[in-house]
PDB file of all heavy atoms in Angstrom:
ATOM      1  N   THR B  98       5.872  -6.500  26.205  1.00 94.00           N
ATOM      2  CA  THR B  98       6.550  -7.444  25.321  1.00 94.00           C
ATOM      3  C   THR B  98       6.609  -8.831  25.949  1.00 94.00           C
ATOM      4  O   THR B  98       6.386  -9.844  25.280  1.00 94.00           O
ATOM      5  CB  THR B  98       7.969  -6.941  25.009  1.00 94.00           C
ATOM      6  OG1 THR B  98       7.884  -5.594  24.576  1.00 94.00           O
ATOM      7  CG2 THR B  98       8.615  -7.783  23.930  1.00 94.00           C
ATOM      8  N   LEU B  99       6.898  -8.859  27.259  1.00 94.00           N
ATOM      9  CA  LEU B  99       7.008 -10.161  27.919  1.00 94.00           C
ATOM     10  C   LEU B  99       5.672 -10.885  27.976  1.00 94.00           C
ATOM     11  O   LEU B  99       5.623 -12.115  28.001  1.00 94.00           O
ATOM     12  CB  LEU B  99       7.565  -9.990  29.335  1.00 94.00           C
ATOM     13  CG  LEU B  99       9.052  -9.607  29.365  1.00 94.00           C
ATOM     14  CD1 LEU B  99       9.534  -9.415  30.789  1.00 94.00           C
ATOM     15  CD2 LEU B  99       9.875 -10.676  28.648  1.00 94.00           C
ATOM     16  N   LEU B 100       4.573 -10.146  27.989  1.00 94.00           N
ATOM     17  CA  LEU B 100       3.264 -10.797  27.937  1.00 94.00           C
ATOM     18  C   LEU B 100       2.849 -11.079  26.496  1.00 94.00           C
ATOM     19  O   LEU B 100       2.300 -12.133  26.191  1.00 94.00           O
ATOM     20  CB  LEU B 100       2.203  -9.906  28.602  1.00 94.00           C
ATOM     21  CG  LEU B 100       2.372  -9.611  30.089  1.00 94.00           C
ATOM     22  CD1 LEU B 100       1.279  -8.664  30.560  1.00 94.00           C
ATOM     23  CD2 LEU B 100       2.320 -10.901  30.886  1.00 94.00           C
ATOM     24  N   GLY B 101       3.119 -10.122  25.608  1.00 93.00           N
ATOM     25  CA  GLY B 101       2.592 -10.200  24.252  1.00 93.00           C
ATOM     26  C   GLY B 101       3.290 -11.233  23.384  1.00 93.00           C
ATOM     27  O   GLY B 101       2.638 -11.969  22.639  1.00 93.00           O
ATOM     28  N   VAL B 102       4.625 -11.301  23.461  1.00 92.00           N
ATOM     29  CA  VAL B 102       5.346 -12.207  22.561  1.00 92.00           C
ATOM     30  C   VAL B 102       5.044 -13.674  22.852  1.00 92.00           C
ATOM     31  O   VAL B 102       4.714 -14.436  21.930  1.00 92.00           O
ATOM     32  CB  VAL B 102       6.865 -11.912  22.582  1.00 92.00           C
ATOM     33  CG1 VAL B 102       7.639 -12.973  21.831  1.00 92.00           C
ATOM     34  CG2 VAL B 102       7.139 -10.542  21.991  1.00 92.00           C
ATOM     35  N   PRO B 103       5.113 -14.117  24.133  1.00 92.00           N
ATOM     36  CA  PRO B 103       4.769 -15.522  24.385  1.00 92.00           C
ATOM     37  C   PRO B 103       3.341 -15.848  23.957  1.00 92.00           C
ATOM     38  O   PRO B 103       3.084 -16.894  23.362  1.00 92.00           O
ATOM     39  CB  PRO B 103       4.915 -15.658  25.907  1.00 92.00           C
ATOM     40  CG  PRO B 103       5.802 -14.544  26.315  1.00 92.00           C
ATOM     41  CD  PRO B 103       5.555 -13.426  25.346  1.00 92.00           C
ATOM     42  N   LEU B 104       2.419 -14.923  24.226  1.00 92.00           N
ATOM     43  CA  LEU B 104       1.037 -15.161  23.838  1.00 92.00           C
ATOM     44  C   LEU B 104       0.933 -15.342  22.322  1.00 92.00           C
ATOM     45  O   LEU B 104       0.248 -16.245  21.831  1.00 92.00           O
ATOM     46  CB  LEU B 104       0.170 -13.993  24.305  1.00 92.00           C
ATOM     47  CG  LEU B 104      -1.337 -14.137  24.167  1.00 92.00           C
ATOM     48  CD1 LEU B 104      -1.822 -15.357  24.932  1.00 92.00           C
ATOM     49  CD2 LEU B 104      -2.038 -12.890  24.686  1.00 92.00           C
ATOM     50  N   ALA B 105       1.645 -14.495  21.596  1.00 90.00           N
ATOM     51  CA  ALA B 105       1.620 -14.596  20.132  1.00 90.00           C
ATOM     52  C   ALA B 105       2.251 -15.905  19.671  1.00 90.00           C
ATOM     53  O   ALA B 105       1.717 -16.596  18.810  1.00 90.00           O
ATOM     54  CB  ALA B 105       2.349 -13.409  19.511  1.00 90.00           C
ATOM     55  N   MET B 106       3.395 -16.260  20.242  1.00 88.00           N
ATOM     56  CA  MET B 106       4.067 -17.510  19.852  1.00 88.00           C
ATOM     57  C   MET B 106       3.140 -18.697  20.099  1.00 88.00           C
ATOM     58  O   MET B 106       2.954 -19.545  19.237  1.00 88.00           O
ATOM     59  CB  MET B 106       5.346 -17.714  20.694  1.00 88.00           C
ATOM     60  CG  MET B 106       6.515 -16.837  20.352  1.00 88.00           C
ATOM     61  SD  MET B 106       7.118 -17.073  18.681  1.00 88.00           S
ATOM     62  CE  MET B 106       7.714 -18.752  18.722  1.00 88.00           C
ATOM     63  N   LEU B 107       2.589 -18.747  21.313  1.00 90.00           N
ATOM     64  CA  LEU B 107       1.774 -19.906  21.669  1.00 90.00           C
ATOM     65  C   LEU B 107       0.543 -20.005  20.776  1.00 90.00           C
ATOM     66  O   LEU B 107       0.221 -21.069  20.266  1.00 90.00           O
ATOM     67  CB  LEU B 107       1.336 -19.809  23.141  1.00 90.00           C
ATOM     68  CG  LEU B 107       2.471 -20.004  24.160  1.00 90.00           C
ATOM     69  CD1 LEU B 107       1.964 -19.758  25.578  1.00 90.00           C
ATOM     70  CD2 LEU B 107       3.053 -21.410  24.044  1.00 90.00           C
ATOM     71  N   THR B 108      -0.150 -18.883  20.577  1.00 89.00           N
ATOM     72  CA  THR B 108      -1.416 -18.987  19.844  1.00 89.00           C
ATOM     73  C   THR B 108      -1.214 -19.200  18.350  1.00 89.00           C
ATOM     74  O   THR B 108      -2.093 -19.727  17.688  1.00 89.00           O
ATOM     75  CB  THR B 108      -2.297 -17.737  20.036  1.00 89.00           C
ATOM     76  OG1 THR B 108      -1.505 -16.593  19.755  1.00 89.00           O
ATOM     77  CG2 THR B 108      -2.835 -17.652  21.437  1.00 89.00           C
ATOM     78  N   PHE B 111       0.942 -23.178  18.154  1.00 86.00           N
ATOM     79  CA  PHE B 111       0.404 -24.398  18.748  1.00 86.00           C
ATOM     80  C   PHE B 111      -1.110 -24.340  18.760  1.00 86.00           C
ATOM     81  O   PHE B 111      -1.707 -23.273  18.648  1.00 86.00           O
ATOM     82  CB  PHE B 111       0.946 -24.574  20.169  1.00 86.00           C
ATOM     83  CG  PHE B 111       2.444 -24.567  20.220  1.00 86.00           C
ATOM     84  CD1 PHE B 111       3.128 -23.493  20.743  1.00 86.00           C
ATOM     85  CD2 PHE B 111       3.166 -25.621  19.675  1.00 86.00           C
ATOM     86  CE1 PHE B 111       4.512 -23.461  20.757  1.00 86.00           C
ATOM     87  CE2 PHE B 111       4.549 -25.602  19.675  1.00 86.00           C
ATOM     88  CZ  PHE B 111       5.229 -24.523  20.220  1.00 86.00           C
ATOM     89  N   VAL B 112      -1.708 -25.508  18.895  1.00 87.00           N
ATOM     90  CA  VAL B 112      -3.165 -25.567  18.935  1.00 87.00           C
ATOM     91  C   VAL B 112      -3.622 -25.078  20.293  1.00 87.00           C
ATOM     92  O   VAL B 112      -3.386 -25.727  21.314  1.00 87.00           O
ATOM     93  CB  VAL B 112      -3.654 -27.008  18.688  1.00 87.00           C
ATOM     94  CG1 VAL B 112      -5.172 -27.066  18.824  1.00 87.00           C
ATOM     95  CG2 VAL B 112      -3.221 -27.467  17.311  1.00 87.00           C
ATOM     96  N   ILE B 113      -4.223 -23.902  20.335  1.00 87.00           N
ATOM     97  CA  ILE B 113      -4.757 -23.353  21.586  1.00 87.00           C
ATOM     98  C   ILE B 113      -6.255 -23.172  21.373  1.00 87.00           C
ATOM     99  O   ILE B 113      -6.670 -22.540  20.406  1.00 87.00           O
ATOM    100  CB  ILE B 113      -4.112 -21.984  21.915  1.00 87.00           C
ATOM    101  CG1 ILE B 113      -2.601 -22.102  22.109  1.00 87.00           C
ATOM    102  CG2 ILE B 113      -4.777 -21.348  23.133  1.00 87.00           C
ATOM    103  CD1 ILE B 113      -2.164 -22.712  23.412  1.00 87.00           C
ATOM    104  N   LYS B 114      -7.047 -23.757  22.245  1.00 87.00           N
ATOM    105  CA  LYS B 114      -8.496 -23.657  22.064  1.00 87.00           C
ATOM    106  C   LYS B 114      -8.964 -22.235  22.343  1.00 87.00           C
ATOM    107  O   LYS B 114      -8.472 -21.589  23.265  1.00 87.00           O
ATOM    108  CB  LYS B 114      -9.195 -24.634  23.020  1.00 87.00           C
ATOM    109  CG  LYS B 114      -8.921 -26.080  22.679  1.00 87.00           C
ATOM    110  CD  LYS B 114     -10.107 -26.973  23.013  1.00 87.00           C
ATOM    111  CE  LYS B 114      -9.919 -28.351  22.393  1.00 87.00           C
ATOM    112  NZ  LYS B 114      -8.683 -29.014  22.875  1.00 87.00           N
ATOM    113  N   LEU B 119      -9.551 -15.371  22.667  1.00 88.00           N
ATOM    114  CA  LEU B 119      -8.379 -14.696  23.238  1.00 88.00           C
ATOM    115  C   LEU B 119      -8.106 -13.386  22.497  1.00 88.00           C
ATOM    116  O   LEU B 119      -7.877 -12.342  23.107  1.00 88.00           O
ATOM    117  CB  LEU B 119      -7.147 -15.602  23.149  1.00 88.00           C
ATOM    118  CG  LEU B 119      -7.141 -16.827  24.064  1.00 88.00           C
ATOM    119  CD1 LEU B 119      -5.968 -17.745  23.724  1.00 88.00           C
ATOM    120  CD2 LEU B 119      -7.061 -16.409  25.516  1.00 88.00           C
ATOM    121  N   LEU B 122     -10.761 -10.770  23.354  1.00 87.00           N
ATOM    122  CA  LEU B 122     -10.564 -10.193  24.678  1.00 87.00           C
ATOM    123  C   LEU B 122      -9.365  -9.244  24.679  1.00 87.00           C
ATOM    124  O   LEU B 122      -9.393  -8.185  25.314  1.00 87.00           O
ATOM    125  CB  LEU B 122     -10.367 -11.299  25.718  1.00 87.00           C
ATOM    126  CG  LEU B 122     -11.630 -12.099  26.061  1.00 87.00           C
ATOM    127  CD1 LEU B 122     -11.312 -13.244  27.007  1.00 87.00           C
ATOM    128  CD2 LEU B 122     -12.691 -11.184  26.665  1.00 87.00           C
ATOM    129  N   LEU B 174      -0.370  -4.729  31.384  1.00 92.00           N
ATOM    130  CA  LEU B 174      -1.600  -5.439  31.057  1.00 92.00           C
ATOM    131  C   LEU B 174      -2.425  -4.664  30.041  1.00 92.00           C
ATOM    132  O   LEU B 174      -3.275  -5.219  29.361  1.00 92.00           O
ATOM    133  CB  LEU B 174      -2.421  -5.668  32.324  1.00 92.00           C
ATOM    134  CG  LEU B 174      -1.839  -6.759  33.221  1.00 92.00           C
ATOM    135  CD1 LEU B 174      -2.581  -6.817  34.536  1.00 92.00           C
ATOM    136  CD2 LEU B 174      -1.904  -8.108  32.512  1.00 92.00           C
ATOM    137  N   TYR B 177      -0.054  -4.871  26.352  1.00 92.00           N
ATOM    138  CA  TYR B 177       0.413  -6.130  25.750  1.00 92.00           C
ATOM    139  C   TYR B 177      -0.313  -6.481  24.451  1.00 92.00           C
ATOM    140  O   TYR B 177       0.287  -7.085  23.555  1.00 92.00           O
ATOM    141  CB  TYR B 177       0.321  -7.297  26.754  1.00 92.00           C
ATOM    142  CG  TYR B 177      -1.027  -7.967  26.784  1.00 92.00           C
ATOM    143  CD1 TYR B 177      -1.320  -8.996  25.892  1.00 92.00           C
ATOM    144  CD2 TYR B 177      -2.029  -7.556  27.648  1.00 92.00           C
ATOM    145  CE1 TYR B 177      -2.572  -9.575  25.874  1.00 92.00           C
ATOM    146  CE2 TYR B 177      -3.275  -8.122  27.643  1.00 92.00           C
ATOM    147  CZ  TYR B 177      -3.548  -9.137  26.745  1.00 92.00           C
ATOM    148  OH  TYR B 177      -4.792  -9.706  26.708  1.00 92.00           O
ATOM    149  N   PHE B 181       1.125  -8.315  21.152  1.00 90.00           N
ATOM    150  CA  PHE B 181       0.534  -9.603  20.810  1.00 90.00           C
ATOM    151  C   PHE B 181       0.002  -9.606  19.371  1.00 90.00           C
ATOM    152  O   PHE B 181       0.376 -10.456  18.556  1.00 90.00           O
ATOM    153  CB  PHE B 181      -0.577  -9.914  21.815  1.00 90.00           C
ATOM    154  CG  PHE B 181      -1.547 -10.982  21.372  1.00 90.00           C
ATOM    155  CD1 PHE B 181      -1.101 -12.204  20.895  1.00 90.00           C
ATOM    156  CD2 PHE B 181      -2.916 -10.761  21.446  1.00 90.00           C
ATOM    157  CE1 PHE B 181      -1.995 -13.185  20.488  1.00 90.00           C
ATOM    158  CE2 PHE B 181      -3.820 -11.733  21.046  1.00 90.00           C
ATOM    159  CZ  PHE B 181      -3.355 -12.939  20.560  1.00 90.00           C
ATOM    160  N   LEU B 309       0.254 -30.134  20.993  1.00 81.00           N
ATOM    161  CA  LEU B 309       1.197 -30.302  22.095  1.00 81.00           C
ATOM    162  C   LEU B 309       0.773 -31.504  22.922  1.00 81.00           C
ATOM    163  O   LEU B 309      -0.395 -31.896  22.910  1.00 81.00           O
ATOM    164  CB  LEU B 309       1.186 -29.055  22.980  1.00 81.00           C
ATOM    165  CG  LEU B 309       1.791 -27.803  22.362  1.00 81.00           C
ATOM    166  CD1 LEU B 309       1.468 -26.597  23.212  1.00 81.00           C
ATOM    167  CD2 LEU B 309       3.298 -27.958  22.223  1.00 81.00           C
ATOM    168  N   PRO B 311      -0.295 -33.463  26.386  1.00 86.00           N
ATOM    169  CA  PRO B 311      -1.344 -32.990  27.303  1.00 86.00           C
ATOM    170  C   PRO B 311      -0.831 -32.053  28.391  1.00 86.00           C
ATOM    171  O   PRO B 311      -1.464 -31.026  28.660  1.00 86.00           O
ATOM    172  CB  PRO B 311      -1.908 -34.284  27.911  1.00 86.00           C
ATOM    173  CG  PRO B 311      -0.927 -35.349  27.563  1.00 86.00           C
ATOM    174  CD  PRO B 311      -0.201 -34.915  26.334  1.00 86.00           C
ATOM    175  N   ILE B 312       0.324 -32.364  28.995  1.00 87.00           N
ATOM    176  CA  ILE B 312       0.780 -31.531  30.114  1.00 87.00           C
ATOM    177  C   ILE B 312       1.244 -30.170  29.610  1.00 87.00           C
ATOM    178  O   ILE B 312       0.846 -29.121  30.113  1.00 87.00           O
ATOM    179  CB  ILE B 312       1.907 -32.247  30.886  1.00 87.00           C
ATOM    180  CG1 ILE B 312       1.342 -33.533  31.486  1.00 87.00           C
ATOM    181  CG2 ILE B 312       2.469 -31.336  31.973  1.00 87.00           C
ATOM    182  CD1 ILE B 312       2.362 -34.403  32.154  1.00 87.00           C
ATOM    183  N   ILE B 313       2.067 -30.209  28.573  1.00 88.00           N
ATOM    184  CA  ILE B 313       2.557 -28.943  28.027  1.00 88.00           C
ATOM    185  C   ILE B 313       1.393 -28.120  27.496  1.00 88.00           C
ATOM    186  O   ILE B 313       1.333 -26.901  27.652  1.00 88.00           O
ATOM    187  CB  ILE B 313       3.592 -29.203  26.922  1.00 88.00           C
ATOM    188  CG1 ILE B 313       4.751 -30.019  27.492  1.00 88.00           C
ATOM    189  CG2 ILE B 313       4.105 -27.897  26.343  1.00 88.00           C
ATOM    190  CD1 ILE B 313       5.812 -30.359  26.507  1.00 88.00           C
ATOM    191  N   SER B 314       0.431 -28.803  26.871  1.00 89.00           N
ATOM    192  CA  SER B 314      -0.719 -28.102  26.332  1.00 89.00           C
ATOM    193  C   SER B 314      -1.501 -27.409  27.446  1.00 89.00           C
ATOM    194  O   SER B 314      -1.902 -26.251  27.310  1.00 89.00           O
ATOM    195  CB  SER B 314      -1.618 -29.089  25.588  1.00 89.00           C
ATOM    196  OG  SER B 314      -2.796 -28.447  25.196  1.00 89.00           O
ATOM    197  N   ALA B 315      -1.684 -28.096  28.559  1.00 91.00           N
ATOM    198  CA  ALA B 315      -2.404 -27.499  29.686  1.00 91.00           C
ATOM    199  C   ALA B 315      -1.652 -26.268  30.186  1.00 91.00           C
ATOM    200  O   ALA B 315      -2.250 -25.214  30.432  1.00 91.00           O
ATOM    201  CB  ALA B 315      -2.559 -28.512  30.819  1.00 91.00           C
ATOM    202  N   ALA B 316      -0.331 -26.384  30.256  1.00 91.00           N
ATOM    203  CA  ALA B 316       0.471 -25.254  30.717  1.00 91.00           C
ATOM    204  C   ALA B 316       0.332 -24.077  29.753  1.00 91.00           C
ATOM    205  O   ALA B 316       0.163 -22.921  30.156  1.00 91.00           O
ATOM    206  CB  ALA B 316       1.929 -25.664  30.856  1.00 91.00           C
ATOM    207  N   ALA B 317       0.394 -24.383  28.463  1.00 91.00           N
ATOM    208  CA  ALA B 317       0.292 -23.324  27.454  1.00 91.00           C
ATOM    209  C   ALA B 317      -1.060 -22.633  27.541  1.00 91.00           C
ATOM    210  O   ALA B 317      -1.150 -21.406  27.488  1.00 91.00           O
ATOM    211  CB  ALA B 317       0.496 -23.914  26.058  1.00 91.00           C
ATOM    212  N   HIS B 318      -2.124 -23.424  27.688  1.00 92.00           N
ATOM    213  CA  HIS B 318      -3.450 -22.830  27.833  1.00 92.00           C
ATOM    214  C   HIS B 318      -3.506 -21.935  29.068  1.00 92.00           C
ATOM    215  O   HIS B 318      -4.065 -20.841  29.031  1.00 92.00           O
ATOM    216  CB  HIS B 318      -4.527 -23.917  27.930  1.00 92.00           C
ATOM    217  CG  HIS B 318      -4.959 -24.428  26.592  1.00 92.00           C
ATOM    218  ND1 HIS B 318      -4.243 -25.376  25.907  1.00 92.00           N
ATOM    219  CD2 HIS B 318      -6.017 -24.106  25.809  1.00 92.00           C
ATOM    220  CE1 HIS B 318      -4.845 -25.623  24.761  1.00 92.00           C
ATOM    221  NE2 HIS B 318      -5.932 -24.862  24.669  1.00 92.00           N
ATOM    222  N   PHE B 319      -2.911 -22.443  30.164  1.00 92.00           N
ATOM    223  CA  PHE B 319      -2.946 -21.660  31.402  1.00 92.00           C
ATOM    224  C   PHE B 319      -2.271 -20.303  31.185  1.00 92.00           C
ATOM    225  O   PHE B 319      -2.824 -19.257  31.530  1.00 92.00           O
ATOM    226  CB  PHE B 319      -2.249 -22.419  32.536  1.00 92.00           C
ATOM    227  CG  PHE B 319      -2.173 -21.615  33.802  1.00 92.00           C
ATOM    228  CD1 PHE B 319      -3.301 -21.469  34.612  1.00 92.00           C
ATOM    229  CD2 PHE B 319      -0.996 -20.970  34.170  1.00 92.00           C
ATOM    230  CE1 PHE B 319      -3.249 -20.699  35.755  1.00 92.00           C
ATOM    231  CE2 PHE B 319      -0.937 -20.198  35.319  1.00 92.00           C
ATOM    232  CZ  PHE B 319      -2.064 -20.064  36.118  1.00 92.00           C
ATOM    233  N   VAL B 320      -1.098 -20.313  30.569  1.00 92.00           N
ATOM    234  CA  VAL B 320      -0.363 -19.053  30.353  1.00 92.00           C
ATOM    235  C   VAL B 320      -1.210 -18.095  29.512  1.00 92.00           C
ATOM    236  O   VAL B 320      -1.409 -16.926  29.860  1.00 92.00           O
ATOM    237  CB  VAL B 320       0.989 -19.329  29.668  1.00 92.00           C
ATOM    238  CG1 VAL B 320       1.633 -18.027  29.212  1.00 92.00           C
ATOM    239  CG2 VAL B 320       1.913 -20.079  30.609  1.00 92.00           C
ATOM    240  N   CYS B 321      -1.734 -18.608  28.407  1.00 92.00           N
ATOM    241  CA  CYS B 321      -2.502 -17.738  27.497  1.00 92.00           C
ATOM    242  C   CYS B 321      -3.701 -17.128  28.212  1.00 92.00           C
ATOM    243  O   CYS B 321      -3.929 -15.921  28.166  1.00 92.00           O
ATOM    244  CB  CYS B 321      -3.001 -18.531  26.295  1.00 92.00           C
ATOM    245  SG  CYS B 321      -1.675 -19.040  25.218  1.00 92.00           S
ATOM    246  N   TYR B 322      -4.477 -18.003  28.864  1.00 94.00           N
ATOM    247  CA  TYR B 322      -5.697 -17.482  29.484  1.00 94.00           C
ATOM    248  C   TYR B 322      -5.374 -16.586  30.673  1.00 94.00           C
ATOM    249  O   TYR B 322      -6.081 -15.608  30.926  1.00 94.00           O
ATOM    250  CB  TYR B 322      -6.643 -18.633  29.849  1.00 94.00           C
ATOM    251  CG  TYR B 322      -7.447 -19.075  28.645  1.00 94.00           C
ATOM    252  CD1 TYR B 322      -6.981 -20.073  27.792  1.00 94.00           C
ATOM    253  CD2 TYR B 322      -8.651 -18.446  28.340  1.00 94.00           C
ATOM    254  CE1 TYR B 322      -7.685 -20.437  26.667  1.00 94.00           C
ATOM    255  CE2 TYR B 322      -9.372 -18.812  27.214  1.00 94.00           C
ATOM    256  CZ  TYR B 322      -8.893 -19.807  26.384  1.00 94.00           C
ATOM    257  OH  TYR B 322      -9.600 -20.162  25.273  1.00 94.00           O
ATOM    258  N   ALA B 323      -4.307 -16.896  31.416  1.00 93.00           N
ATOM    259  CA  ALA B 323      -3.947 -16.057  32.560  1.00 93.00           C
ATOM    260  C   ALA B 323      -3.654 -14.632  32.082  1.00 93.00           C
ATOM    261  O   ALA B 323      -4.140 -13.649  32.644  1.00 93.00           O
ATOM    262  CB  ALA B 323      -2.732 -16.640  33.274  1.00 93.00           C
ATOM    263  N   ILE B 324      -2.874 -14.514  31.009  1.00 92.00           N
ATOM    264  CA  ILE B 324      -2.526 -13.184  30.506  1.00 92.00           C
ATOM    265  C   ILE B 324      -3.782 -12.428  30.092  1.00 92.00           C
ATOM    266  O   ILE B 324      -4.021 -11.286  30.478  1.00 92.00           O
ATOM    267  CB  ILE B 324      -1.560 -13.290  29.311  1.00 92.00           C
ATOM    268  CG1 ILE B 324      -0.220 -13.863  29.768  1.00 92.00           C
ATOM    269  CG2 ILE B 324      -1.366 -11.931  28.643  1.00 92.00           C
ATOM    270  CD1 ILE B 324       0.726 -14.190  28.628  1.00 92.00           C
ATOM    271  N   VAL B 325      -4.597 -13.113  29.291  1.00 92.00           N
ATOM    272  CA  VAL B 325      -5.745 -12.411  28.722  1.00 92.00           C
ATOM    273  C   VAL B 325      -6.779 -12.072  29.799  1.00 92.00           C
ATOM    274  O   VAL B 325      -7.354 -10.979  29.807  1.00 92.00           O
ATOM    275  CB  VAL B 325      -6.364 -13.264  27.590  1.00 92.00           C
ATOM    276  CG1 VAL B 325      -7.673 -12.668  27.142  1.00 92.00           C
ATOM    277  CG2 VAL B 325      -5.388 -13.342  26.437  1.00 92.00           C
ATOM    278  N   VAL B 326      -6.977 -12.994  30.725  1.00 91.00           N
ATOM    279  CA  VAL B 326      -7.947 -12.717  31.785  1.00 91.00           C
ATOM    280  C   VAL B 326      -7.451 -11.572  32.670  1.00 91.00           C
ATOM    281  O   VAL B 326      -8.218 -10.671  33.026  1.00 91.00           O
ATOM    282  CB  VAL B 326      -8.225 -13.989  32.622  1.00 91.00           C
ATOM    283  CG1 VAL B 326      -8.980 -13.646  33.898  1.00 91.00           C
ATOM    284  CG2 VAL B 326      -9.030 -14.977  31.790  1.00 91.00           C
ATOM    285  N   ALA B 327      -6.159 -11.586  32.999  1.00 90.00           N
ATOM    286  CA  ALA B 327      -5.618 -10.483  33.804  1.00 90.00           C
ATOM    287  C   ALA B 327      -5.824  -9.154  33.084  1.00 90.00           C
ATOM    288  O   ALA B 327      -6.165  -8.148  33.703  1.00 90.00           O
ATOM    289  CB  ALA B 327      -4.138 -10.710  34.084  1.00 90.00           C
ATOM    290  N   GLY B 328      -5.663  -9.173  31.753  1.00 90.00           N
ATOM    291  CA  GLY B 328      -5.860  -7.953  30.992  1.00 90.00           C
ATOM    292  C   GLY B 328      -7.310  -7.499  30.984  1.00 90.00           C
ATOM    293  O   GLY B 328      -7.600  -6.307  30.917  1.00 90.00           O
ATOM    294  N   SER B 329      -8.244  -8.474  31.044  1.00 90.00           N
ATOM    295  CA  SER B 329      -9.666  -8.113  30.982  1.00 90.00           C
ATOM    296  C   SER B 329     -10.273  -7.878  32.354  1.00 90.00           C
ATOM    297  O   SER B 329     -11.382  -7.356  32.456  1.00 90.00           O
ATOM    298  CB  SER B 329     -10.462  -9.238  30.305  1.00 90.00           C
ATOM    299  OG  SER B 329      -9.833  -9.633  29.133  1.00 90.00           O
TER     300      SER B 329
END
Side-chain angles (χ1 to χ4, degrees):
Chain B
T98 309
L99 289 178
L100 297 177
V102 171
L104 188 58
M106 286 298 295
L107 290 175
T108 51
F111 305 108
V112 176
I113 299 285
K114 293 213 168 59
L119 290 171
L122 288 175
L174 286 173
Y177 86 87
F181 163 50
L309 290 169
I312 297 174
I313 302 179
S314 174
H318 277 82
F319 176 77
V320 170
C321 291
Y322 278 90
I324 294 172
V325 171
V326 167
S329 312

